[in-house]
Amino acid sequence: MVLRTAVRSLREREFVEAARALGASRRHIVFRELLPNVWAPVLVHLTLAVPAMVTTEAALSFLGVGINEPIPDWGRMISRGADVFYDDPTYMVFPGASLLVFVLAFNLLGDAVRDALDPHTLR
């Protein structure tokens, strides 16, 4: 959706119209005019979407509808740790903390990429 929105907003810009007026092919317009201007928003969207996907998968696995058994999973680890929480809380704390650190790191990475690639911010 981000890619489609970005391309739709860029295809009416002056540099694309100029390329069309000069007789550039569609391939040239796509690869030389549109893609260099679209990759930054798509990269930012991906770095901000990965934590949401991981958290959703962990939540589904915590509820018992995630990945099957032989594959290790944070949600299943937290669920199993909840069963033995009173005996040994580290079984729940370490997977939860690692999930938190992963999500926080990817969110910070997405913010840094957005700040680095946004042409409207002052450096």
Side-chain angles (χ1 to χ4, degrees), residues 8-122:
R8 287 186 63 123
S9 69
L10 287 174
R11 73 178 182 181
E12 302 300 326
R13 301 277 302 267
E14 294 84 16
F15 62 91
V16 176
E17 294 295 328
R20 274 194 206 123
L22 289 173
S25 66
R26 285 186 180 184
R27 176 178 284 224
H28 174 81
I29 291 172
V30 168
F31 287 110
R32 298 289 179 140
E33 307 295 337
L34 293 177
L35 281 181
N37 293 303
V38 170
W39 73 271
V42 170
L43 181 64
V44 169
H45 176 73
L46 287 175
T47 58
L48 292 175
V50 166
M53 291 179 211
V54 169
T55 306
T56 303
E57 189 277 325
L60 288 173
S61 182
F62 180 81
L63 295 173
V65 291
I67 298 175
N68 291 334
E69 185 59 41
I71 301 170
D73 183 16
W74 278 326
R76 195 174 329 108
M77 288 180 198
I78 294 170
S79 175
R80 294 238 176 107
D83 295 338
V84 295
F85 181 72
Y86 292 112
D87 296 332
D88 192 4
T90 58
Y91 283 110
M92 187 170 161
V93 170
F94 286 130
S98 61
L99 179 63
L100 175 75
V101 167
F102 179 83
V103 168
L104 182 64
F106 254 92
N107 279 330
L108 291 175
L109 175 68
D111 288 341
V113 168
R114 184 188 63 221
D115 291 342
L117 297 177
D118 189 14
H120 299 296
T121 59
L122 298 174

